[in-house]
Amino acid sequence: MFKKLLVPTIAATVLLGACGGNNSSDSTEKLDLNNVKVADLEKKAKEEGQVNSLGMPDTWANWKETWADINKEYGIKHKDTDMSSAEELAKFESEKKNATGDIGDVGIAFGPLAVEKDLVVGYKTSYFDEIPDWAKDKDGKWIIGYTGTMSFMTDKNSVKDTPKTWEDIKNGDYKVSIGDVEKANQAQFAVLAAAYAFGGDEKNLQPGIDFFKKLAEEGRLITTDPDIASIEKGEHQVMLLWDFNALNYRDQIDKKRFDVTIPSDKSVMSGYATVINKNAKNPYAAALTREFILSDEGQDNLAKGYARPIREKAKISDEAKKKLLPDSMYQNVTPVKDSKAWDAALKELPQKWQEEVTSSIK
């Protein structure tokens, strides 16, 4: 299943009861997960027999199959509480040693925040060297498992010419749905992608703001969330969505009705990272879960859920490959170049959006 090796040692520690992860005793010992052989990790995780996740529901990125495989392979039961990235970290922070969540899945911006707040423990896994530097914490305190790229989802029932670039959208006559930029991570990255396309970046979102302001002034911007129900009803024409969401919606509704494309001029990639609660009641099961997610089997499950695996060398089934867009569409895709600048921009974006774009909507 997994490569049986000793993962490099780091100083990361997790607190757990001296008699085991599920013991409520105040007596604690320090455990370095990165100094545990995978075979021993499996043994101890089986003894815990349970893993509790936050923000990793069955319906997202095919987590359902991953949880089923972990249960089948190791006899580990699973329970999830679905919530946003911000809510996950808030739960880690508020519950402290009374933790009900062992592992969470958060947007990339929340990984460094979790480290800053000292909420998480490191576990590098056997695959650490295969993870790009931009997609991991140097100590393994957060690691991206899969990526999403901003895409265009076009309803061909109402749009004659499918847009292939941001310039196509700018010159079009159809309405564009972005969602709630003041709150939604997906919508905020759409602004960043547009900024990149028109000469800006995370330090300068103005070209993206100006683009959407123009659409708003033309009466072409929709800021309600393009969920599957409204998409099926035909309430949206061109939608700005993560590729894995767009492909999932397309296939659930009608594969022939929608085009999903990555803008060829420029798009932005982000990722979702697992974070392990430093107060996890089931730390070994949480670490084993991350190990599985980054294995060939785990990466294949994610791909079958339309998410692009972070490991380029992962062996993916033909079934999974058919669900993904061709690699050729991703030639002009870039991850966030300056995460600190992007974090700063995100703090200012809601107000700028309200003042310049929302006020211009017709």
Side-chain angles (χ1 to χ4, degrees):
M1 192 67 173
F2 299 126
K3 290 177 280 186
K4 303 297 189 284
L5 49 79
L6 184 65
V7 189
T9 303
I10 60 171
T13 59
V14 64
L15 297 176
L16 73 162
C19 297
N22 290 305
N23 196 310
S24 60
S25 170
D26 289 333
S27 178
T28 60
E29 62 179 329
K30 291 185 177 181
L31 171 69
D32 183 352
L33 289 172
N34 282 298
N35 199 27
V36 180
K37 292 181 180 180
V38 177
D40 292 336
L41 186 70
E42 292 177 7
K43 180 181 177 181
K44 292 178 182 296
K46 287 178 181 179
E47 290 172 358
E48 290 174 342
Q50 176 76 30
V51 63
N52 300 313
S53 66
L54 304 179
M56 303 172 79
D58 289 353
T59 54
W60 181 278
N62 195 31
W63 285 129
K64 181 179 182 179
E65 196 164 350
T66 286
W67 299 127
D69 286 347
I70 288 174
N71 178 255
K72 181 179 179 182
E73 185 73 18
Y74 307 107
I76 295 172
K77 296 179 181 179
H78 166 256
K79 181 180 179 182
D80 182 75
T81 303
D82 193 16
M83 52 181 58
S84 70
S85 299
E87 290 169 336
E88 291 177 47
L89 296 195
K91 196 170 183 67
F92 279 9
E93 190 169 23
S94 64
E95 291 184 339
K96 296 183 172 60
K97 293 182 182 180
N98 295 316
T100 57
D102 301 311
I103 187 170
D105 187 49
V106 298
I108 188 172
F110 291 88
L113 182 60
V115 175
E116 181 184 319
K117 288 177 171 288
D118 190 27
L119 301 175
V120 291
V121 62
Y123 176 60
K124 290 186 175 183
T125 80
S126 306
Y127 308 96
F128 196 71
D129 291 344
E130 293 184 44
I131 310 299
D133 288 344
W134 68 267
K136 63 188 177 186
D137 170 68
K138 63 182 178 62
D139 294 328
K141 291 186 176 180
W142 57 267
I143 300 178
I144 296 293
Y146 59 99
T147 65
T149 296
M150 190 50 52
S151 70
F152 301 158
M153 181 181 185
T154 305
D155 189 338
K156 294 187 286 186
N157 284 353
S158 58
V159 178
K160 182 179 179 181
D161 297 317
T162 296
K164 301 292 195 301
T165 66
W166 292 97
E167 195 70 35
D168 288 345
I169 289 183
K170 186 177 182 179
N171 297 327
D173 59 0
Y174 38 76
K175 293 188 176 182
V176 179
S177 299
I178 188 174
D180 188 350
V181 170
E182 293 179 45
K183 296 179 181 178
N185 183 60
Q186 179 174 250
Q188 292 165 346
F189 269 94
V191 177
L192 179 59
Y196 275 134
F198 293 105
D201 56 26
E202 56 270 34
K203 295 179 182 178
N204 176 23
L205 295 181
Q206 198 57 48
I209 295 285
D210 291 344
F211 168 77
F212 287 108
K213 181 179 180 180
K214 180 178 184 295
L215 295 184
E217 290 172 343
E218 294 173 353
R220 297 176 52 210
L221 187 65
I222 295 178
T223 56
T224 53
D225 187 44
D227 59 23
I228 191 165
S230 58
I231 294 170
E232 187 171 12
K233 291 177 183 176
E235 295 177 6
H236 305 275
Q237 294 184 302
V238 174
M239 295 143 277
L240 307 178
L241 298 165
W242 290 127
D243 51 359
F244 59 83
N245 280 334
L247 291 168
N248 188 12
Y249 294 158
R250 179 197 70 180
D251 288 3
Q252 283 192 62
I253 300 170
D254 181 355
K255 193 169 184 176
K256 295 180 180 179
R257 176 179 160 185
F258 302 93
D259 276 337
V260 177
T261 59
I262 304 299
S264 60
D265 43 1
K266 204 71 176 177
S267 191
V268 67
M269 172 197 299
S270 185
Y272 284 80
T274 51
V275 286
I276 299 173
N277 192 343
K278 77 171 187 178
N279 293 308
K281 292 292 192 297
N282 305 292
Y284 294 106
L288 185 62
T289 294
R290 176 183 281 173
E291 185 79 23
F292 183 86
I293 287 169
L294 294 175
S295 72
D296 288 352
E297 295 89 344
Q299 295 282 278
D300 187 64
N301 283 346
L302 289 165
K304 285 189 283 187
Y306 307 94
R308 292 183 76 82
I310 193 63
R311 286 181 51 228
E312 289 187 6
K313 295 180 181 178
K315 295 178 182 178
I316 303 301
S317 65
D318 289 339
E319 176 190 355
K321 289 176 182 177
K322 289 177 182 177
K323 293 197 172 185
L324 301 177
L325 295 172
D327 291 344
S328 59
M329 279 195 180
Y330 294 81
Q331 298 304 309
N332 287 321
V333 172
T334 182
V336 172
K337 299 170 186 174
D338 187 333
S339 58
K340 289 185 178 179
W342 176 231
D343 289 344
L346 284 175
K347 293 175 183 176
E348 299 177 2
L349 179 56
Q351 185 174 346
K352 284 181 68 69
W353 181 264
Q354 208 171 54
E355 292 174 352
E356 299 188 43
V357 181
T358 303
S359 61
S360 301
I361 292 176
K362 294 182 179 179

